[in-house]
Amino acid sequence: VDGTLPASAYSWSVDFYNNGIAQPFYINEVPLPFYGPVTGVTSGSFTIPTDLSNGATTFYRIALTVTNSHGLKTTVKRDIKPNQSTWSVGTNLPGAGYWVDGTWHTTPYTNPDGVGIQHVLAGVPTQVVNGSRYRFNSWSDGSALTDTFTSSAATGTITANYEPVSATLPGSWQGTDVGAPLVPGGNDYAASSGTFYVDGAGADVYNSNDQFHYVYQTLNGNGTITARVRYQTNSSAWAKAGIMIKQSTAAGSPYVDVLTTPTVSPSTPNINGIGCTPDGCAAPLPPVVPTVGYGVRMQYNFKGSQSVSDPTLLAGYHSPNEWLRLTRVGNTFTSWYSTDGTTWKLIGKTTFAMNTSATIGLFVCSHNIGQTSTAAFDNVTVVAGP
């Protein structure tokens, strides 16, 4: 009898199983177990990923092989199986479509799943169903166009909410393309939620460019505009959606804006891999925290730009909480942003000459001349006066 064996006698490995079949984890075309083999230790740990490779039928098999002093091997195997979860996705509008983890659906969808797996849902900004035009409002759990969540035993049903819209804007609001973008923009309004949906193309609103779609009204003298950008589609990392005061709708006229760029939720799974080429990836990566894009900025007169310099201020700043505010007092313009519409942080301030009679409103620029970017604005208020 050997008694207690040394650590050198121990060898560990973990295989990943899907539908009862061991799945190889390839790195540079060399098949490997999910973990190991590891020798020389009597205990340890490994991390089970939360990406889409896991599901209700997957499990991990731990194999421990111990070799005694005579060279005889004993192997013991144990399976780690997921806790079970079942969740469903549907819409408030029969026939409307949506995406679940990159797969298109137009009918209710139910997914048997494991607890703790990350998923991505996406609505469609604009749909025509039975001859009527609809815009995506929100997911029932409060998320905007893209919804990321981790499955649990109580996830339940998540609903994609669409609402009817009209191209007719309320009150004194008007819509126009500025600078003749290659792809025309557009706008809709949903009276039920007070949401402006703006589609804008254009190369940029900076340097020598002045192309975007503008939903605006007249401002005489001082005033303040506040709006929340509930979501924004990612036509470019420099796509812009925000609020603006501009001397006129003529391209090249003086302006000041406060804008946001496409951002993502910190819980969005990473679906990239190691050593990726157009032919595929060498191995999968675990989820990571994505970047927040180019954040929020105040820009003016094609050359001036001020941004949020402290990256900690952007913590938690992702759709659907992108609140913006811009104020004019004389020729001084001041901008703020907020993650909740209550607590506001200063972005910047600038002073330059602008006619007393000007315009004020919402703008979207795709920064991609071949397509539009869509943004949903709600909680929109324009207040005249100091």
Side-chain angles (χ1 to χ4, degrees):
V1 179
D2 285 341
T4 301
L5 293 170
S8 59
Y10 288 72
S11 177
W12 304 82
S13 66
V14 180
D15 285 307
F16 172 63
Y17 278 75
N18 188 9
N19 292 316
I21 301 173
Q23 307 295 308
F25 273 63
Y26 287 95
I27 297 181
N28 298 325
E29 299 184 358
V30 178
L32 297 171
F34 172 79
Y35 176 82
V38 174
T39 59
V41 295
T42 58
S43 65
S45 64
F46 65 95
T47 300
I48 294 176
T50 57
D51 60 30
L52 298 177
S53 61
N54 293 278
T57 63
T58 62
F59 66 91
Y60 294 82
R61 179 164 290 168
I62 303 173
L64 167 62
T65 299
V66 179
T67 305
N68 67 14
S69 60
H70 298 289
L72 297 177
K73 299 180 183 293
T74 300
T75 300
V76 177
K77 298 179 179 180
R78 295 291 185 269
D79 294 343
I80 300 177
K81 296 184 177 180
N83 294 322
Q84 298 297 304
S85 169
T86 299
W87 47 269
S88 300
V89 185
T91 71
N92 68 328
L93 177 65
Y98 57 93
W99 300 89
V100 178
D101 296 325
T103 302
W104 178 249
H105 298 273
T106 56
T107 58
Y109 169 78
T110 298
N111 183 39
D113 199 12
V115 171
I117 309 304
Q118 291 184 312
H119 298 277
V120 178
L121 309 179
V124 180
T126 308
Q127 290 193 59
V128 175
V129 179
N130 296 326
S132 297
R133 185 174 174 85
Y134 294 86
R135 294 279 194 159
F136 183 87
N137 179 282
S138 64
W139 290 97
S140 58
D141 62 0
S143 298
L145 188 64
T146 301
D147 184 11
T148 58
F149 71 95
T150 300
S151 61
S152 69
T155 299
T157 298
I158 302 175
T159 302
N161 293 314
Y162 290 88
E163 59 183 349
V165 294
S166 170
T168 301
L169 297 173
S172 58
W173 290 95
Q174 305 175 65
T176 189
D177 276 334
V178 173
L182 180 65
V183 177
N187 47 256
D188 287 318
Y189 181 73
S192 58
S193 64
T195 299
F196 292 82
Y197 294 96
V198 182
D199 311 304
D204 202 352
V205 189
Y206 204 66
N207 288 327
S208 60
N209 297 299
D210 196 13
Q211 293 183 325
F212 58 95
H213 192 75
Y214 194 26
V215 173
Y216 69 98
Q217 57 182 262
T218 299
L219 175 67
N220 289 308
N222 300 327
T224 297
I225 181 170
T226 302
R228 178 174 71 157
V229 182
R230 194 167 71 236
Y231 64 74
Q232 174 187 17
T233 60
N234 190 0
S235 58
S236 164
W238 268 114
K240 299 174 179 180
I243 53 182
M244 175 182 287
I245 298 174
K246 187 170 175 66
Q247 183 165 289
S248 73
T249 59
S253 65
Y255 77 94
V256 58
D257 65 40
V258 52
L259 61 92
T260 184
T261 56
T263 53
V264 292
S265 166
S267 61
T268 300
N270 178 14
I271 57 174
N272 296 319
I274 297 172
C276 291
T277 72
D279 298 319
C281 299
L285 279 176
V288 297
V289 176
T291 62
V292 295
Y294 291 107
V296 291
R297 294 170 181 260
M298 177 189 190
Q299 296 187 331
Y300 41 91
N301 284 349
F302 308 103
K303 296 295 183 182
S305 182
Q306 300 180 44
S307 62
V308 179
S309 58
D310 183 356
T312 62
L313 296 179
L314 288 173
Y317 190 84
H318 54 77
S319 178
N321 291 315
E322 301 174 345
W323 294 75
L324 307 173
R325 177 170 289 169
L326 179 61
T327 293
R328 176 183 187 178
V329 178
N331 284 325
T332 298
F333 303 86
T334 310
S335 62
W336 297 266
Y337 84 99
S338 172
T339 59
D340 57 13
T342 300
T343 302
W344 292 86
K345 297 181 175 69
L346 179 70
I347 300 174
K349 179 182 292 188
T350 187
T351 300
F352 61 89
M354 182 183 290
N355 291 348
T356 301
S357 178
T359 67
I360 189 169
L362 317 168
F363 83 98
V364 174
C365 171
S366 68
H367 205 268
N368 181 335
I369 62 172
Q371 69 180 84
T372 60
S373 176
T374 297
F377 298 86
D378 62 12
N379 294 276
V380 178
T381 60
V382 174
V383 180

